[in-house]
Amino acid sequence: MAANFPPVSPVLKPIQHYLKTAQEHDSRDPIVAYWCRLYALQLGLKVPSQGIDDRKLLVSIMDWLETSKAQMTDNESITNDVAAQAYLENYALKLFLYADKQDRASNFGKNVVKAFYTSGMIYDVCQIFGELTEEVTQNRKYAKWKASYIHNCLKNGETPVAGPLATDEDKEFDHELIPGVPNQEPQPGPSNAPSPAIGFQPQAPVSPQPPPAGPTNFTTSDPFSNVKAPTPPSEPEKPPGGFQPYKGGQASEIVTVEPNRLVNPAGIQLRPEQVTKAQKYCRWAESALNYEDLKTSIDNLQKALRLLETGHDG
């Protein structure tokens, strides 16, 4: 549901970019628009020295959120935090993978910058649900850095270096987090898309040119505010409120024994966070299939099944 809000004053400048992202998704994806505005509201309420106009803006956002939630009461990605977190992470991941694929193919441009930038914004919004996981934290920081880096190169008439750069300033990104994937420069083509299993897949540096030291204030100013972020390669499906068991073997016999608890045929009770992790493995498997990476998809499905059958991850 689109709406007109009062202008954002300098005092509330920290929430401006999330409101902008929400506006860009009003028609494209109301779920993303809803959570972006909710996150902006949470940030805005923490800003000191608010004036009358600032409070009017925050109240108008509250009214919009209340009305929108009432209109989407049947959507679990609005009413259920677990489903909402999965939806936002999946949406941000698909934007991230699109931008990363274009970047590695040296297809630099405003759309790639915007996709990295928007992905980083939506990963920020995921903080509504608590502390970010390690893979989300890495994707978030990398997306913001890449958006800043490519933007600065284009602004200065320079050609960006494709993909991650293994420099001293990039050591904070743990290149060993993706098991079983060779650390090599991919060739163009969907089969070499980055593994969605855990964050991005680094490649060997192709130039000694070091990256800039961080986002260089990119997140405080969106230079491509008039550029629409590309739609993810395939629209993320709304995740179910609970795990839909695999239809083969004994995994299909998993039943609910008490609220937020599942028990498998071996009598092992699964904690909510274990079920959530299994759901993530299934989402990563789906994302891998979008890039025709069958090996990664099978690996993640096996991890999900093993977690549900044994209660052990890994």
Side-chain angles (χ1 to χ4, degrees):
M1 182 184 70
N4 293 321
F5 294 95
V8 179
S9 72
V11 173
L12 291 180
K13 188 176 181 180
I15 76 172
Q16 181 175 3
H17 308 294
Y18 303 104
L19 294 179
K20 177 67 175 178
T21 302
Q23 182 183 13
E24 293 171 345
H25 286 81
D26 275 328
S27 299
R28 180 192 302 182
D29 197 308
I31 296 173
V32 173
Y34 175 87
W35 289 105
C36 284
R37 286 199 175 99
L38 180 57
Y39 185 68
L41 175 64
Q42 291 182 354
L43 291 181
L45 293 173
K46 298 177 182 178
V47 175
S49 305
Q50 297 175 10
I52 295 177
D53 291 339
D54 299 320
R55 289 192 286 273
K56 286 182 179 179
L57 172 59
L58 296 178
V59 169
S60 67
I61 296 175
M62 290 180 190
D63 292 340
W64 183 92
L65 289 169
E66 183 178 357
T67 302
S68 297
K69 188 171 186 179
Q71 294 176 348
M72 295 188 284
T73 54
D74 59 343
N75 193 319
E76 287 187 334
S77 294
I78 295 293
T79 61
N80 184 295
D81 283 357
V82 173
Q85 181 181 7
Y87 188 95
L88 290 179
E89 287 185 4
N90 195 33
Y91 189 94
L93 176 62
K94 288 184 176 182
L95 262 182
F96 178 91
L97 292 177
Y98 162 82
D100 188 56
K101 181 180 180 181
Q102 298 301 314
D103 171 46
R104 290 172 186 270
S106 298
N107 295 327
F108 308 115
K110 293 182 178 181
N111 281 343
V112 174
V113 175
K114 189 69 174 182
F116 271 130
Y117 177 81
T118 303
S119 176
M121 292 291 100
I122 296 177
Y123 277 135
D124 279 348
V125 174
C126 291
Q127 294 176 108
I128 287 177
F129 309 107
E131 185 177 355
L132 301 179
T133 63
E134 185 174 3
E135 61 268 20
V136 168
T137 299
Q138 288 198 25
N139 282 1
R140 170 182 171 237
K141 190 166 187 176
Y142 182 78
K144 291 185 176 184
W145 167 73
K146 257 299 181 178
S148 172
Y149 171 63
I150 298 176
H151 162 65
N152 288 335
C153 287
L154 296 178
K155 180 180 178 182
N156 297 327
E158 301 172 355
T159 301
V161 175
L165 300 181
T167 68
D168 289 340
E169 295 182 14
D170 194 36
K171 286 182 178 178
E172 56 198 294
F173 298 101
D174 188 354
H175 294 175
E176 301 301 322
L177 281 177
I178 311 175
V181 180
N183 183 17
Q184 61 184 15
E185 181 178 351
Q187 299 299 317
S191 63
N192 289 291
S195 167
I198 304 181
F200 64 94
Q201 165 61 15
Q203 65 182 39
V206 296
S207 169
Q209 177 185 358
T216 61
N217 295 326
F218 185 80
T219 56
T220 61
S221 176
D222 180 0
F224 299 127
S225 59
N226 61 331
V227 179
K228 183 178 180 181
T231 301
S234 60
E235 289 297 327
E237 297 180 0
K238 179 174 72 65
F243 178 76
Q244 301 298 316
Y246 174 70
K247 298 303 182 181
Q250 292 185 326
S252 61
E253 301 174 18
I254 296 178
V255 295
T256 304
V257 293
E258 59 179 278
N260 299 322
R261 287 280 184 171
L262 296 177
V263 62
N264 66 16
I268 300 175
Q269 287 194 359
L270 301 174
R271 300 186 303 275
E273 58 268 25
Q274 291 176 312
V275 176
T276 300
K277 188 60 177 292
Q279 290 174 319
K280 288 185 177 182
Y281 280 135
C282 292
R283 293 198 310 276
W284 290 334
E286 177 191 4
S287 296
L289 283 178
N290 289 335
Y291 287 87
E292 301 180 7
D293 188 349
L294 188 59
K295 180 180 182 299
T296 298
S297 180
I298 293 174
D299 181 59
N300 280 288
L301 288 173
Q302 289 175 336
K303 288 181 179 179
L305 187 59
R306 182 165 57 250
L307 178 58
L308 293 173
E309 288 181 335
T310 67
H312 296 293
D313 190 13

